[in-house]
Amino acid sequence: MTPGGAGVAQRHDQSTGGPAGLLGIGYEPGRAPGARAAVVDGPYGGNDGMYGPDDTAYGPVTAARSGDDGADPGTPDLGAELASHTADEVLADYLHQQSADFLRSLRLHRESGSDAEGAGEAARQLRRAARRISATLHTFRPLTEEDWADQLRSELGWLSGTLAREQACAARRERLMTALQRLTGRGPERSDRTGRGERNKRSDRPTASSTAAAASSPSSPSASSSDPDPDGALSAGAARAGALLDRQLTLARTRAHSAALQALGSSRFHAVADSVAVLASEAPLARTAAEVPADEALPPLAEQAHRRLAEAVAALPLSRAGYPYNAAALAADQRQDAPWHQVRMLVRLSRYAREVIAPETSDLRLAEAGRALEWHRDAAEAAAAAAAAARTPRIAPATAYALGVLHADQRHEVEAARFAFGRVWLPRTPDRTG
């Protein structure tokens, strides 16, 4: 085996070591959610406290919480369901299912051949299973053979991230092209004709000051001071801005596609597939997992995942994000986006933990919070792409201006996503006085 894949396919009773990676960051498309309210500090019900009257994110073990008023009488008795099994039975069943989905998606990907759409869907399903396996091994790590599980998580994170880049580039291109058309009120055909006409009339060399202004602050267009008609300047530069973004993102997608194909043909990937095949028949669980009931071992670990999520959310500036048009997200600063991206990953961990202990139920609020944060991630990355394009040397002032407007538009989307997340997460109880 080559380095990076060495030891991954070993049996779980053999020590392998390796880094303890978190689950990979994959791109999972989702539309922007509407603004809905939820409960204080978490999506699992409760009154005034962080986790409600039962002092646990999932409520009492004997019932699945749904809504603000406690258990849904239509849901199964989770306590009886978990108490009838040991922890290793529940975990092994879930891991076997996800491993089978992984291997099935891999087979579909290989059989897709030249069908790009089929290959893309198979890759999405492959990453979906990889994320769930990785998250389960992370959340319930004390019940696993930790060295083997940590190595597999690290490799699944590499695989998920590698496969995600191509789809992310394609979605980012579509998002930015759509935003340009919306901002200018032009269809793609008219924009193309305008761009061809511009290339015959104007030079594409800007002044140094306009390029520097666009690079340093894309949301403060430099061309507005010299053009008395901002709408005309935007229309003039939109076609060239779209062409520039199309070239850059198409090139990035091509490179990501080549990297994905190279990864899927590597010995490192085959080692990962071998490990998942082992996992499909023999989960790497500790002996203690076979000795404790599932209702005693699993909910506390899922609760820890939710507590980490609640602590991360508490550090977000939700009070300011709760005001519409607060302009807090307009600055292009990766440091202010990073905590939101971390919360997105923790939301995913908490959601997958619930899938393990309550596979027949789903928390719509947690899913909606995840969609809001995916919207946030997509808008932030699109804004970064527009800013990077604005730093391209020797672009015209009108092009830089259009990219600046596009950057500001996507940062407004970031702000809107934060507002939507706050509306999902903050209480729907009436305002308190005194």
Side-chain angles (χ1 to χ4, degrees):
M1 294 184 186
T2 60
V8 181
Q10 287 180 283
R11 290 176 53 86
H12 67 267
D13 54 348
Q14 297 176 342
S15 178
T16 60
L22 255 173
L23 78 164
I25 304 176
Y27 180 85
E28 190 171 8
R31 296 188 300 173
R36 278 188 53 191
V39 295
V40 178
D41 284 329
Y44 296 105
N47 297 325
D48 297 334
M50 179 173 291
Y51 300 112
D54 304 294
D55 218 19
T56 166
Y58 298 95
V61 178
T62 56
R65 299 191 66 85
S66 176
D68 293 332
D69 300 324
D72 181 354
T75 57
D77 189 338
L78 294 182
E81 183 74 17
L82 291 177
S84 61
H85 299 282
T86 60
D88 72 328
E89 290 175 342
V90 175
L91 280 179
D93 181 69
Y94 184 81
L95 290 172
H96 292 338
Q97 177 184 347
Q98 299 305 322
S99 301
D101 290 344
F102 181 98
L103 298 174
R104 186 182 306 110
S105 301
L106 178 58
R107 176 177 57 81
L108 292 175
H109 189 276
R110 289 172 176 169
E111 293 175 353
S112 61
S114 59
D115 181 8
E117 184 176 354
E121 179 60 29
R124 280 190 290 272
Q125 296 299 324
L126 192 69
R127 290 189 293 105
R128 179 182 182 276
R131 287 196 304 268
R132 281 165 169 76
I133 294 171
S134 182
T136 302
L137 295 178
H138 172 76
T139 301
F140 302 100
R141 184 174 182 269
L143 300 176
T144 67
E145 292 289 342
E146 295 180 356
D147 290 341
W148 196 91
D150 289 347
Q151 179 73 3
L152 179 56
R153 281 170 41 217
S154 177
E155 295 302 286
L156 287 174
W158 160 77
L159 176 62
S160 181
T162 301
L163 296 181
R165 294 190 190 103
E166 180 183 359
Q167 184 184 354
C169 290
R172 195 172 305 134
R173 176 191 174 278
E174 181 179 359
R175 181 187 188 92
L176 290 170
M177 296 300 106
T178 302
L180 269 178
Q181 294 171 20
R182 170 172 50 82
L183 290 169
T184 59
R186 292 171 177 265
E189 295 84 2
R190 185 176 177 186
S191 295
D192 290 342
R193 289 196 298 269
T194 302
R196 287 194 295 269
E198 279 188 0
R199 282 192 291 271
N200 295 329
K201 296 178 182 179
R202 308 182 69 175
S203 170
D204 205 24
R205 294 180 179 271
T207 61
S209 60
S210 64
T211 303
S216 61
S217 180
S219 59
S220 300
S222 60
S224 59
S225 60
S226 60
D227 195 323
D229 181 7
D231 293 335
L234 177 59
S235 299
R240 288 186 174 185
L244 177 60
L245 287 168
D246 180 67
R247 288 196 303 271
Q248 292 183 347
L249 292 175
T250 300
L251 178 60
R253 181 183 181 182
T254 301
R255 290 173 175 171
H257 180 72
S258 299
L261 291 179
Q262 184 177 3
L264 291 174
S266 67
S267 58
R268 182 177 182 181
F269 170 75
H270 288 299
V272 176
D274 290 344
S275 295
V276 175
V278 170
L279 185 64
S281 59
E282 185 179 356
L285 302 177
R287 293 181 180 178
T288 55
E291 301 171 358
V292 292
D295 61 340
E296 295 180 8
L298 300 183
L301 294 175
E303 172 68 16
Q304 288 182 11
H306 180 73
R307 288 185 183 276
R308 287 193 294 267
L309 169 61
E311 291 170 0
V313 172
L316 296 177
L318 286 185
S319 58
R320 184 172 183 180
Y323 291 97
Y325 309 110
N326 58 77
L330 298 188
D333 185 357
Q334 293 182 353
R335 291 174 297 179
Q336 69 154 291
D337 291 336
W340 297 85
H341 297 329
Q342 178 66 15
V343 169
R344 179 180 61 84
M345 294 177 61
L346 293 175
V347 165
R348 181 177 287 173
L349 284 173
S350 187
R351 182 160 60 92
Y352 293 164
R354 183 178 178 87
E355 284 186 8
V356 175
I357 67 172
E360 301 301 325
T361 63
S362 60
D363 195 300
L364 298 180
R365 295 169 184 164
L366 197 59
E368 195 168 346
R371 285 193 293 270
L373 292 172
E374 287 169 4
W375 176 21
H376 176 278
R377 184 266 319 273
D378 296 344
E381 292 180 349
R391 290 190 288 268
T392 303
R394 298 184 299 278
I395 60 174
T399 306
Y401 175 74
L403 290 169
V405 173
L406 182 60
H407 174 272
D409 173 76
Q410 293 302 304
R411 292 307 301 184
H412 277 292
E413 290 283 321
V414 171
E415 178 187 314
R418 294 179 183 181
F419 176 78
F421 175 78
R423 292 296 299 266
V424 169
W425 201 266
L426 294 177
R428 67 171 58 155
T429 54
D431 294 337
R432 301 182 178 90
T433 59

